Amino acid sequence: MRRLILLLLITAIPGCQAPMPAANPQMAWVDLSLPFPNDRVLLAERLDNQRLAEGRFFQVSPGSHELVVRFDYETNGGGGMSMMGGTTVRQCYLTLDYAHFQAGQRYVLEARSMALTPEARLYNAAREIVAEVSEFYCLM
């Protein structure tokens, strides 16, 4: 019985990690990045007010777009019910507008937490900042 369960687990885990699709050269590709260890989750939520089925990246047509990401990160004490110390996880939604997406280009949306304030920046392929968060709200 244990072997059967182990076999099922081994075959199920790779199925959860679908490969990334190929980038469409007619679209711009936006990777998501979390550079700090206390940052937990960064997921693509909405593109131009349309909910996305795939949360690992954005693929957008050239031009202007509004990107919304979910960003979860840990804060030390002082936030929410954690007045006694310890950590609290904040769940935030960040909105970023950029008017100049170019076909075939890769961008990186990098989110980080600065104490209780989340921030995100969009970088182009030359690692230049091309946009920053225009608004955010947090649930915790």
Side-chain angles (χ1 to χ4, degrees), residues 87-124:
T87 60
T88 300
V89 175
R90 291 193 74 183
Q91 180 180 355
C92 300
Y93 291 87
L94 315 178
T95 302
L96 187 136
D97 296 298
Y98 184 54
H100 306 288
F101 283 105
Q102 297 177 3
Q105 296 297 308
R106 288 191 85 102
Y107 300 85
V108 175
L109 194 155
E110 188 174 277
R112 64 183 69 187
S113 57
M114 302 303 288
L116 293 176
T117 305
E119 66 177 44
R121 294 177 175 157
L122 182 67
Y123 295 90
N124 63 14

Side-chain angles (χ1 to χ4, degrees), residues 23-31 44 46-48 52 57-68 96 98-107 109 122:
N24 180 341
Q26 304 302 315
M27 308 278 272
W29 183 278
V30 181
D31 287 311
R46 291 191 311 267
L47 172 63
D48 301 326
L52 298 172
F57 63 93
F58 289 98
Q59 190 163 236
V60 301
S61 61
S64 182
H65 294 284
E66 178 184 84
L67 312 177
V68 176
L96 187 136
Y98 184 54
H100 306 288
F101 283 105
Q102 297 177 3
Q105 296 297 308
R106 288 191 85 102
Y107 300 85
L109 194 155
L122 182 67

Side-chain angles (χ1 to χ4, degrees), residues 9-21:
L9 285 174
I10 290 171
T11 58
I13 291 172
C16 295
Q17 299 173 350
M20 294 289 263

